[in-house]
Amino acid sequence: MNFLEERIQKDGIVKEGNVLKVDSFLNHQMDIALFKQMGEEWKKRFADANINKILTIEASGIGIACVVAEFFQVPVVFAKKSKSINIEGEMYIAEVESFTHRCKNQVIVSKAFLGPGDRVLIIDDFLANGCALQGLISIVSQAGASVEGIGIAIEKGFQSGGRVIRNLGYHLESLAIVDAMDAKTGKITFGKQ
Amino acid sequence: MNFLEERIQKDGIVKEGNVLKVDSFLNHQMDIALFKQMGEEWKKRFADANINKILTIEASGIGIACVVAEFFQVPVVFAKKSKSINIEGEMYIAEVESFTHRCKNQVIVSKAFLGPGDRVLIIDDFLANGCALQGLISIVSQAGASVEGIGIAIEKGFQSGGRVIRNLGYHLESLAIVDAMDAKTGKITFGKQ
C-alpha cells in the first residue's frame, strides 16, 4: 500500500451506498502534509508533461490543487459551480451532474485564464462516474488547450469513470483506486495502479 | 505599498458597485507564489499566537488557507455552504449572508474537527460587511475554541466589517485595506494598517 492507501485504510470510513468518508484528512479537514506527499508523487508521475497550469473544481479540489501546484510551479484555476455576479465576460461552460448533491450544475471558467497553448494538469479529490472530470476536460477542449495529465486522489474503481477516461487515451494517475468496500466490515480493497 | 497592494494595483480591476475583481490572481486563477508570500507575512504577524488549526470558508478561501497552513504546519478546516449527504453527525451551523450572490447560506463545520482547546486562525480572501467572518467566529465560539487571529487578504475599509471585528477585540490582520476605489479612473486608495 502507498501512503494514501494507508491513510484511507486508517482514517477512511465506509458508509452504506458506496460512500467513502475521508473528511478527516481530505475534503473537510485537510492534511496539508499529506497533500504535499501527493504533489511530490504526481510530480514524479507527470515528470515529462511540461504542465503550465492546473485546473480543478470547487470546493474540495482547490486545497489539493494549490498545494500540488507548488511542485509544478504553475498557477491554479478552479472551475466555479454557479454564475457569480463578479464573473463577467465570456466563459467556458460545461454541465456537470453531482453524485453527492444529486443535482446538475453548470461549471464555468473565465476565458481569460485558459487558452490555446495551455498544457493542463487536472486535479480532483474523487473520481467515480466521472461527470465532474468530463466537464473539466470539455472546458480545456473548448479553450483549445491540452489535457496533459489528470491526477485524482481517490478513484472508485467499481464505477466507470476511470475506465472511460483511460479508454479515451488520457494519462490518468489515481493515487488510490478503491475496487471494493464493505460498509458492514469497513473493509476497503485497493486495486493495482 | 506592500507586495499585495502592489499586485492589486497592477492586476485588480475596479467595477461599478464597489466591486474589485482580483480573479486573475486571487479567487479564480490563483497565484501560489503570492499565497506563499501571504503565508510568510501572516506567520510573522501571528508569530506568538500558537495556532493549531486554520479555519476558512469555501470556495475561494480554501486555496489561500492551504498554502498559508504550510507556514503554521497545521491542518485546515473549511466551512461548507450547504448540507451535503456526505456529512453526517453533529455540525456547527451559522447563517451567512452573501454580498456576492445576494442570498443567505447556512455554513457548517463538523463537530469532529473543531473543539475546546483549538486555537484557530481564520483565513479568508475578502472582508467587506463581515457576514462570512461573523459566521466563522460563531462556529469557533460554538466549538468552545478560541479565535487567536484573523487573516484577510483584502479588506474593504469603506465597509463596516473590519471595524466591528476590531472593536470586538479580535486580532485582525488584513494584508491590503482598500479605503476607496473609483470605477471610472480605476484608482485604488489603500489605507494604513
Side-chain angles (χ1 to χ4, degrees):
Chain A
M1 283 201 292
N2 70 21
F3 65 96
L4 184 59
E5 293 166 334
E6 279 171 9
R7 186 61 177 272
I8 295 165
Q9 189 81 281
K10 178 171 164 277
D11 292 328
I13 296 168
V14 181
K15 296 274 184 186
E16 293 293 341
N18 279 331
V19 172
L20 176 61
K21 278 173 67 96
V22 288
D23 58 0
S24 67
F25 58 97
L26 200 76
N27 54 16
H28 187 16
Q29 180 165 252
M30 297 178 287
D31 181 337
I32 309 304
L34 180 76
F35 291 6
K36 290 186 92 155
Q37 282 184 284
M38 293 162 61
E40 205 174 357
E41 180 63 28
W42 276 320
K43 179 65 184 165
K44 274 186 223 160
R45 297 193 189 190
F46 297 113
D48 303 322
N50 200 18
I51 303 300
N52 79 324
K53 197 159 282 193
I54 288 178
L55 177 66
T56 188
I57 184 167
E58 63 172 322
S60 39
I62 297 174
I64 300 169
C66 285
V67 174
V68 168
E70 295 180 48
F71 291 85
F72 292 87
Q73 295 190 288
V74 299
V76 174
V77 174
F78 71 89
K80 302 192 176 200
K81 278 181 180 159
S82 66
K83 188 154 168 35
S84 154
I85 58 165
N86 273 359
I87 300 193
E88 290 174 1
E90 292 189 60
M91 290 166 293
Y92 307 115
I93 301 173
E95 287 274 336
V96 170
E97 201 167 350
S98 166
F99 169 74
T100 313
H101 296 90
R102 291 176 183 146
C103 62
K104 276 197 179 185
N105 284 302
Q106 277 195 338
V107 299
I108 57 175
V109 170
S110 167
K111 290 189 178 175
F113 308 130
L114 206 58
D118 277 329
R119 300 172 58 87
V120 179
L121 173 61
I122 295 174
I123 293 286
D124 206 1
D125 57 342
F126 267 98
L127 171 58
N129 58 28
C131 285
L133 184 52
Q134 288 154 25
L136 293 177
I137 291 171
S138 160
I139 280 173
V140 175
S141 168
Q142 290 172 46
S146 61
V147 177
E148 295 298 323
I150 300 166
I152 297 292
I154 304 175
E155 176 181 338
K156 288 180 171 173
F158 52 87
Q159 287 188 249
S160 63
R163 195 174 63 243
V164 170
I165 294 298
R166 288 186 184 91
N167 285 345
L168 288 166
Y170 291 103
H171 181 188
L172 165 62
E173 294 283 351
S174 302
L175 299 184
I177 300 175
V178 175
D179 269 354
M181 45 189 186
D182 186 324
K184 286 202 182 68
T185 62
K187 188 175 158 56
I188 301 167
T189 310
F190 294 103
K192 70 166 193 285
Q193 298 182 21
Chain B
M1 281 200 294
N2 69 20
F3 66 95
L4 184 60
E5 292 165 337
E6 279 172 8
R7 185 62 178 272
I8 294 165
Q9 189 82 281
K10 180 171 164 274
D11 292 327
I13 297 167
V14 181
K15 296 274 182 184
E16 293 292 344
N18 279 330
V19 172
L20 176 61
K21 277 171 66 97
V22 288
D23 58 0
S24 67
F25 58 96
L26 199 76
N27 54 15
H28 186 16
Q29 180 165 252
M30 297 177 287
D31 182 337
I32 308 304
L34 180 75
F35 291 5
K36 289 185 93 155
Q37 282 184 283
M38 293 161 62
E40 206 173 355
E41 180 63 27
W42 277 320
K43 179 64 186 166
K44 274 185 226 159
R45 297 193 189 190
F46 298 113
D48 302 322
N50 199 19
I51 303 299
N52 79 323
K53 196 158 283 191
I54 289 178
L55 177 66
T56 188
I57 184 166
E58 65 171 321
S60 39
I62 298 174
I64 299 170
C66 284
V67 174
V68 168
E70 295 180 47
F71 291 86
F72 292 87
Q73 296 191 287
V74 299
V76 175
V77 173
F78 70 89
K80 304 191 175 199
K81 278 181 181 158
S82 65
K83 189 155 168 32
S84 152
I85 58 163
N86 274 358
I87 301 192
E88 293 173 359
E90 290 188 63
M91 292 167 291
Y92 306 116
I93 301 173
E95 287 274 334
V96 170
E97 201 168 348
S98 168
F99 169 75
T100 314
H101 296 91
R102 290 175 183 147
C103 63
K104 276 198 179 184
N105 284 301
Q106 277 196 337
V107 299
I108 56 174
V109 169
S110 167
K111 290 189 178 174
F113 307 132
L114 206 58
D118 277 329
R119 299 173 59 87
V120 178
L121 173 62
I122 295 175
I123 293 285
D124 207 0
D125 57 343
F126 268 98
L127 171 59
N129 58 26
C131 285
L133 183 52
Q134 289 154 24
L136 293 178
I137 291 171
S138 161
I139 280 172
V140 175
S141 167
Q142 289 171 48
S146 62
V147 177
E148 295 298 323
I150 300 168
I152 298 292
I154 305 175
E155 176 181 338
K156 289 180 171 174
F158 52 87
Q159 288 189 250
S160 62
R163 194 174 62 244
V164 170
I165 293 297
R166 286 187 184 90
N167 285 346
L168 288 167
Y170 290 103
H171 180 189
L172 164 62
E173 293 284 350
S174 301
L175 300 184
I177 299 174
V178 175
D179 268 355
M181 47 187 187
D182 187 325
K184 286 202 181 67
T185 63
K187 188 174 156 58
I188 301 167
T189 310
F190 294 102
K192 71 164 193 282
Q193 297 182 21

